[in-house]
Amino acid sequence: MSPLLHIAAEEAQNPLVPPIPELVIGLLAFVIVFGILAKKLLPNINKVLEERRESIEGGIEKAEAAQTEASSVLEQYKAQLAEARHEAARLRQEAQEQGATLIAEMRAEGQRQREDIIAAGHAQIEADRKAAASVLRQDVGKIATDLAGKLVGESLEDHARQSRVIDRFLDDLDQKAEAAR
């Protein structure tokens, strides 16, 4: 066999190299299918991919906006919380100051009332002492008059004279008591 025939026979038997007419028909069919797919399917695929990209980017932007808004709300909350704590501390301080002032006022009022009660007690004691001294003068005077009347043997019922005698007697007793002190 000639070498050309041998090469031609080998070519006919090589399964990797298709015959030329099949290759041309296959290539034409591929170009037609590819063209139809490129015209009809590719724009739909690109449209879906673009919508998906936009929705993802929109979701990311929305998430970033929500994150930014959440951060600003958190900062506002923290500022309001700090302000509320400051206000509470100020109110607590004012309450403590008012409490201390009220306690001081109540102590002063209590002290004043105590002094008033003591003064009223002293005045009452003095009034009671004077009343007791007056009653005692009268009783001592009556007893002394009765006793003097019994000693003298006559009645000393004259009130003016009786009052002078009693007053003189009690004044003498007061002078002696003061001198003894």
Side-chain angles (χ1 to χ4, degrees), residues 21-154:
E22 286 181 19
L23 188 62
V24 170
I25 293 173
L27 188 60
L28 269 170
F30 177 76
V31 168
I32 292 171
V33 170
F34 185 77
I36 292 172
L37 288 177
K39 289 278 188 186
K40 298 250 181 194
L41 191 61
L42 194 59
N44 288 340
I45 291 173
N46 284 338
K47 181 179 159 189
V48 169
L49 288 176
E50 184 65 26
E51 287 174 359
R52 178 178 269 180
R53 184 184 61 78
E54 287 175 2
S55 69
I56 289 172
E57 287 176 358
I60 291 172
E61 288 173 1
K62 286 179 186 176
E64 288 174 354
Q67 180 70 25
T68 303
E69 184 179 347
S71 296
S72 68
V73 168
L74 179 64
E75 290 301 319
Q76 288 175 353
Y77 172 74
K78 286 180 180 179
Q80 288 175 348
L81 184 62
E83 184 178 328
R85 284 182 178 157
H86 178 69
E87 181 69 17
R90 185 186 63 79
L91 290 175
R92 194 174 324 121
Q93 181 66 27
E94 285 179 6
Q96 286 175 346
E97 290 171 0
Q98 288 175 352
T101 303
L102 186 60
I103 288 171
E105 288 174 359
M106 295 304 283
R107 282 185 181 158
E109 179 67 20
Q111 185 71 18
R112 187 191 58 76
Q113 287 179 354
R114 182 180 70 95
E115 290 171 1
D116 289 347
I117 291 171
I118 290 172
H122 285 303
Q124 182 66 37
I125 290 171
E126 185 61 28
D128 289 346
R129 188 188 66 76
K130 286 182 180 178
S134 174
V135 170
L136 186 61
R137 271 183 186 256
Q138 289 175 359
D139 288 346
V140 168
K142 178 142 176 60
I143 293 171
T145 305
D146 289 344
L147 185 59
K150 287 183 183 180
L151 286 177
V152 172
E154 55 181 81

